[in-house]
Amino acid sequence: MKILVTGGAGFIGGNFCYYILHKYPAYDIVCLDSLTYAGSLSTLKDALTEKRFSFVKGDIADKTLVDKLFSEHRFDAVINFAAETHVDRSIESPQVFLMTNIIGTQVLMDACKAYGNIRFHQVSTDEVYGDLPLDRPDLLFTELTPLCASSPYSSSKAGADLLALAYYRTYGLFVTVSRCSNNYGPYQYPEKLIPLMISRALADQPLPVYGEGKNVRDWLYVDDHCAAIDLILHGGKPGEVYNIGGHNEMANIDIVKLILSELGKPESLITFVTDRLGHDLRYAIDPSKIHAALGWLPKTKFSEGIKTTIQWYLKNENWWREKLDKRIAHKL
């Protein structure tokens, strides 16, 4: 099988490339990534040594480039990880998110349609559902939960999801969609909560926490997410949406305190800052459908996954420090 992985130099996409390369010795991967601030060839350092892996720098919204790739390769499937994902950035610059997340998805699906109804998987987010109240732990997002996006980011992802499902219904394109909860693990860009808190704690810098830190997220270890997408790729039904959740709900403030405890740092480093505009209160995924249909369940307990993640960032300081240095330089 030959797979086009878009956004493969990013956090989840990079981990997925390694997952497939290790599990399927006969599979080939072409990785397309525009190498924005969140994508890095250093993430793919080991993958680039594999003959079965090739990298192409480019934008998924570039129709000429995408068509060229599809004409040169006989792809069996496309896994679309490419996306602008950071909520704060989407509030500042919505147009960038619309171009990549919606138009880019359309360009990819048009190519899949034109070159033989190639299987297309859209990687989405639980944020398309909006949020849930903190005082109703019984409520969970299911695949039938109405979309109620809160930010330009989640709105752009919801639009891409609907477009993908429309391509299935209108054109018969083999489309599947997955919506995951918050991922964590190796190679995550250090503006996200867990790696940001790790890097700042190691430097004894203040740890900024929105509001009172009571916002709750369902945390999913990235390898478990990759395993779920693998199952969807090989056994998912066209036109179906699959929710992928970690069964690990935790308040942001508890995550921060746990990281400080693991690193032996004082809680006095915590600094509460003005809350994000439209900040969702709680996300919680019901993954019953993918469990029943494909047998998937998350294997990694958060207590184990967070320790593994912290150790990875301790051992790979050069990787994340390079990202921080570039981010600072970009702002100057």
Side-chain angles (χ1 to χ4, degrees), residues 1 3 5 12 15-25 27 29 77-79 81 119 121-123 174 176-178 220 222-237 242 244 290 293-296 299:
M1 180 178 283
I3 305 171
V5 177
I12 305 175
N15 277 281
F16 183 75
C17 287
Y18 286 120
Y19 179 94
I20 293 296
L21 288 171
H22 292 159
K23 184 173 180 180
Y24 299 104
Y27 283 24
I29 293 176
V78 176
I79 312 294
F81 292 98
R119 188 170 190 142
H121 181 69
Q122 171 70 2
V123 180
F174 196 127
T176 48
V177 176
S178 60
L220 174 68
V222 67
D223 280 356
D224 289 333
H225 187 189
C226 292
I229 294 176
D230 176 25
L231 289 171
I232 296 170
L233 172 64
H234 291 92
K237 293 183 178 180
Y242 299 91
I244 307 171
I290 191 172
L294 301 174
W296 179 86
K299 295 181 179 180

Side-chain angles (χ1 to χ4, degrees), residues 253-272:
I253 188 63
D254 294 330
I255 295 280
V256 175
K257 289 181 178 179
L258 177 58
I259 291 171
L260 289 170
S261 175
E262 286 291 327
L263 293 174
K265 300 291 184 176
E267 292 185 7
S268 59
L269 288 174
I270 297 173
T271 302
F272 294 101

Side-chain angles (χ1 to χ4, degrees), residues 4-18 21 29-48 53-60 79-83 85 186-190 222 312-313 319 322-323 326:
L4 174 63
V5 177
T6 67
F11 166 43
I12 305 175
N15 277 281
F16 183 75
C17 287
Y18 286 120
L21 288 171
I29 293 176
V30 176
C31 172
L32 174 62
D33 197 296
S34 59
L35 297 181
T36 61
Y37 74 95
S40 173
L41 284 180
S42 61
T43 296
L44 299 173
K45 181 180 178 182
D46 293 333
L48 289 166
F53 181 88
S54 59
F55 176 82
V56 177
K57 181 180 180 180
D59 190 336
I60 61 171
I79 312 294
N80 184 30
F81 292 98
T85 64
Y187 299 111
Q188 188 170 29
Y189 189 75
V222 67
W312 188 90
Y313 280 92
W319 181 89
E322 175 191 5
K323 309 296 179 292
K326 286 183 178 179

